[in-house]
Amino acid sequence: MKKVISLFCAVVLSTSFVVGNVASATVILPDSPAYSYARDCSSTLSISGTTVTCESSVTGYYNETTKIVINQTLQKKNSSGDWNDVCSWSNTINSFKGSVTNTKSSLSNGTYRLKTVFTVYAENSNETIYSYSLEKTI
C-alpha cells in the first residue's frame, strides 16, 4: 500500500511541475499574425560620431499587401524625459515589402530614438503600426 501511495504522490508532483511550466510558457502560434497586413516590421537607429542612420523595414504578405507608407521621425529626449521631434522623412513603397534608410548629421549630444509609423495597405483597407528603435546616446 505504501508503494502505491508513493507512486501516486510521485505522479501528482510530476504532473503539477509539467502543468505549471506549460501554463507559464508563452506560446506563439505560427498562423496568428500580430498584424493584419504585415508579417513584421522594425526600426533601427545607429550612431557614428554625430551622425545617425535611421532604418525602417517591413514585410507584408505577397499578393495581399499592396502599398506601404513609411514615416520616420528622429526624436531626442529632453531634460524632462519627453521626446522632441528632430526631423522626419516619408516614403511610399508600392510593394509588399521594403526598407528605407535616412541619415542626419551634425547632431548635438543627447539620447535619440527612431519612431516609425508604418501604414500598410491591402486594396482599400489599411492598418497603422508604430515601431520604436532602441535609444542611443551621442
Side-chain angles (χ1 to χ4, degrees), residues 112-125:
Y112 294 86
R113 74 176 181 185
L114 174 63
K115 172 186 173 182
T116 307
V117 180
F118 299 94
T119 306
V120 184
Y121 293 84
E123 297 296 329
N124 295 325
S125 300

Side-chain angles (χ1 to χ4, degrees), residues 62-81:
Y62 183 75
N63 281 338
E64 184 176 344
T65 303
T66 55
K67 179 174 81 168
I68 302 162
V69 177
I70 300 175
N71 291 304
Q72 294 178 309
T73 304
L74 178 63
Q75 298 180 315
K76 182 178 181 183
K77 188 183 279 188
N78 65 26
S79 59
S80 301

Side-chain angles (χ1 to χ4, degrees), residues 23-89:
S24 65
T26 301
V27 178
I28 299 173
L29 302 175
D31 293 331
S32 298
Y35 314 111
S36 298
Y37 306 123
R39 284 195 303 198
D40 61 69
C41 55
S42 65
S43 295
T44 306
L45 179 69
S46 57
I47 294 179
S48 177
T50 60
T51 300
V52 296
T53 301
C54 305
E55 183 176 0
S56 303
S57 64
V58 61
T59 302
Y61 295 100
Y62 183 75
N63 281 338
E64 184 176 344
T65 303
T66 55
K67 179 174 81 168
I68 302 162
V69 177
I70 300 175
N71 291 304
Q72 294 178 309
T73 304
L74 178 63
Q75 298 180 315
K76 182 178 181 183
K77 188 183 279 188
N78 65 26
S79 59
S80 301
D82 296 322
W83 293 96
N84 297 325
D85 295 350
V86 174
C87 61
S88 60
W89 304 272

